[in-house]
Amino acid sequence: MTFDELGLAAPLLRAVSEKGYTVPTPIQVEAIPAVLSGRDIMAAAQTGTGKTAGFVLPILQLLGVSAAAHPHRLRALIITPTRELAAQVGDSVMTYGKHLPLKSAVVFGGVKINPQITALRRGLDILVATPGRLLDLHQQGEVNFNALEILVLDEADRMLDMGFIHDIRRILKLLPARRQNLLFSATFASEIRQLTRSILHDPVAVEVSPRNTTAERVEQWVYPVDKKDKSAVLQQLVRENDWQQVLVFSRTKHGANKLAQQLENAGINAAAIHGNKSQAARTRALAGFKAGKIRVLVATDIAARGLDIAQLPQVVNFDLPNVPEDYVHRIGRTGRAGAAGRAYSLVSADEIKQLNAIEQVIQRHLPREYVDGFEPGHEVPPSAPLRKPQIHGQAKQSSRTGGDGRNTSRGSGSDGHKRPEQRRRRPAGRSRPALGGNTR
Ligand code: AMP
């Protein structure tokens, strides 16, 4: 399948080829023709699948064809949960639309509103926005939805997690009733289904990458350690494996700051990225990380969501998330676009419960390994037996999960039978070749 065969017009084919894409990803193969046909779509897709181009390309095409008839009126609105994601989607609109006479802007909170007002007043075709700032701008009379034809809700599940449901409902009331709706979500829990029912009209269901697939193509390890040793263990892992670029997850903003400081003190360039940081500081940290100046980026779940960092070789869970689904989002930051990734979790005695919950969600026992010199003082209980897979609101269960609830995929740690007593002791990660992947 080629982009050409998907029915994309020449200016878009040119932009795609300049970007270096040769083959559309599975979600693009499904979503592009569906959007072009004018249908609503409900897509189960995570970041990393190429979903952004999956909706941006056909939207550009739909608007581009009739651009002359609607000189820069707001016809497509893309709502994202986070500023980072908004900025990335905005970049994609610019990149893919560079040979079309369409104008776009990105608006989000935490930065000055005046330049955004100026951009809106100049006229534009496509607006990418986070919910709060969009409502502010509307209240100030600076945005008009009368000509709106297409609405995209990107990462809808995360919008609900972040408490944006009321904002979303308020926005929906402001939009023309007749419009095309595209909804993207990594999961389809009951709240999302409800939202979907109230928004989408006879949607095409697009699902190419059930959530478990991400978990299957990422090699994962658990390192049982004492809580007080976690920072030292992380430093040892970074040094021994010579990691030049690692994304580390922290459950709290304070924890992220503290860890980044400890790493800096130990001579490892690090930065923290979370909701209390200014937009400028977040952008700077991400740019430093992408440029290779910052080796360790410590992020909270929300800040990390949607970060577009291609082929991140590894991620580390400095602590485990309280919500097991967040684990899947976290490890989805590595092993993207078909590349193998590795995820390491430092697990202290107080996190065994979370670990068990994660293993149930991914339907897989994670292999335990021990870092020389940092064996934990606590006993590590064996993995709990896996219960029958629960459908955590997914649109479809992974076809790789056998009916008996056991994951039938291949790959390290997926045999479901590893027990901690089969301890292998070796310097962490040494036998695994470095991928040498770099960010763009
Ligand atoms: P997304 O899921 O939209 O965040 O995209 C994930 C990454 O895949 C981004 O870095 C895109 O630039 C990249 N990407 C999207 N479509 C393609 C494609 N057809 N071929 C190669 N890379 C792609």
Side-chain angles (χ1 to χ4, degrees):
M1 181 62 81
T2 62
F3 283 101
D4 203 356
E5 288 167 304
L6 291 176
L8 292 175
L12 294 166
L13 293 175
R14 219 170 113 205
V16 161
S17 110
E18 283 164 5
K19 178 86 178 147
Y21 303 162
T22 48
V23 192
T25 67
I27 187 120
Q28 292 162 1
V29 170
E30 288 200 36
I32 292 173
V35 179
L36 287 178
S37 75
R39 297 273 304 268
D40 280 8
I41 71 168
M42 171 177 121
Q46 302 182 338
T47 306
T49 53
K51 69 180 166 72
T52 315
F55 61 82
V56 169
L57 287 168
I59 288 176
L60 287 165
Q61 172 136 339
L62 290 173
L63 302 193
V65 171
S66 52
H70 310 264
H72 306 314
R73 295 197 67 196
L74 175 55
R75 295 166 65 203
L77 172 65
I78 302 168
I79 304 182
T80 74
T82 64
R83 301 161 187 183
E84 282 79 9
L85 187 60
Q88 283 160 19
V89 172
D91 286 347
S92 295
V93 172
M94 297 280 282
T95 307
Y96 305 137
K98 65 181 174 186
H99 303 302
L100 286 171
L102 297 170
K103 292 204 325 189
S104 64
V106 182
V107 299
F108 48 70
V111 295
K112 285 193 188 125
I113 202 165
N114 286 345
Q116 299 176 352
I117 292 176
T118 309
L120 285 163
R121 287 186 185 167
R122 272 197 217 118
L124 43 84
D125 305 87
I126 302 171
L127 183 64
V128 187
T130 53
R133 179 56 63 95
L134 181 65
L135 283 167
D136 282 352
L137 285 160
H138 183 264
Q139 256 155 18
Q140 296 187 28
E142 297 294 349
V143 54
N144 176 328
F145 298 116
N146 292 346
L148 196 88
E149 294 168 26
I150 305 172
L151 169 72
V152 181
L153 293 180
D154 195 11
E155 303 203 348
D157 51 346
R158 184 52 52 148
M159 282 195 230
L160 298 197
D161 290 350
M162 291 172 69
F164 286 139
I165 185 68
H166 299 296
D167 285 353
I168 296 297
R169 295 220 180 270
R170 280 173 62 200
I171 293 166
L172 289 172
K173 285 199 189 115
L174 304 171
L175 308 181
R178 243 181 85 99
R179 52 169 205 266
Q180 184 178 8
N181 301 288
L182 319 177
L183 183 140
F184 288 77
S185 187
T187 56
F188 277 87
S190 59
E191 275 169 293
I192 287 282
R193 286 176 193 279
Q194 244 176 346
L195 185 73
T196 311
R197 270 196 296 272
S198 65
I199 297 179
L200 303 180
H201 173 71
D202 186 24
V204 179
V206 174
E207 191 197 15
V208 288
S209 174
R211 198 184 40 192
N212 285 352
T213 307
T214 311
E216 284 163 13
R217 63 184 160 75
V218 176
E219 289 189 275
Q220 300 156 69
W221 292 271
V222 163
Y223 287 88
V225 290
D226 287 331
K227 208 175 196 75
K228 64 172 174 36
D229 291 335
K230 282 190 174 184
S231 176
V233 167
L234 177 63
Q235 289 167 32
Q236 179 159 319
L237 287 172
V238 170
R239 291 217 166 89
E240 277 194 345
N241 297 295
D242 196 27
W243 287 339
Q244 293 306 318
Q245 189 178 56
V246 54
L247 180 61
V248 175
F249 287 93
S250 160
R251 206 162 45 214
T252 65
K253 296 168 191 170
H254 172 70
N257 283 340
K258 193 169 132 195
L259 177 59
Q261 193 58 56
Q262 286 167 341
L263 293 168
E264 282 281 322
N265 293 346
I268 297 171
N269 285 345
I273 181 165
H274 54 67
N276 284 0
K277 295 261 175 185
S278 70
Q279 189 56 42
R282 292 204 236 177
T283 308
R284 211 169 36 240
L286 183 60
F289 187 59
K290 285 188 173 188
K293 288 186 203 131
I294 289 168
R295 277 173 89 177
V296 183
L297 188 65
V298 190
T300 55
D301 288 286
I302 286 173
R305 179 81 178 171
L307 285 182
D308 181 23
I309 306 163
Q311 292 170 358
L312 199 56
Q314 58 268 319
V315 300
V316 172
N317 295 308
F318 190 74
D319 33 37
L320 290 180
N322 287 328
V323 182
E325 279 78 4
D326 278 345
Y327 175 85
V328 183
H329 289 307
R330 287 179 174 192
I331 68 167
R333 312 285 74 218
T334 180
R336 309 177 71 179
R342 291 162 287 164
Y344 306 82
S345 298
L346 311 185
V347 179
S348 50
D350 56 324
E351 294 175 303
I352 300 297
K353 244 192 180 156
Q354 283 108 301
L355 179 60
N356 284 335
I358 287 165
E359 291 186 324
Q360 295 300 335
V361 165
I362 61 173
Q363 282 291 302
R364 164 171 172 178
H365 287 141
L366 298 175
R368 274 73 161 154
E369 293 207 355
Y370 293 81
V371 184
D372 278 345
F374 291 104
E375 290 79 359
H378 62 272
E379 266 303 302
V380 184
S383 295
L386 298 177
R387 292 186 301 271
K388 265 196 175 296
Q390 299 161 340
I391 300 177
H392 283 267
Q394 278 167 274
K396 197 172 83 187
Q397 190 66 25
S398 164
S399 58
R400 294 241 204 137
T401 305
D404 63 353
R406 196 179 297 150
N407 194 303
T408 52
S409 69
R410 287 172 289 116
S412 170
S414 61
D415 60 8
H417 294 292
K418 279 214 173 81
R419 287 290 182 270
E421 55 268 27
Q422 295 175 311
R423 291 177 171 204
R424 276 175 292 153
R425 194 186 296 266
R426 58 169 174 67
R430 190 166 275 171
S431 66
R432 289 181 286 280
L435 288 185
N438 244 327
T439 52
R440 290 189 289 121

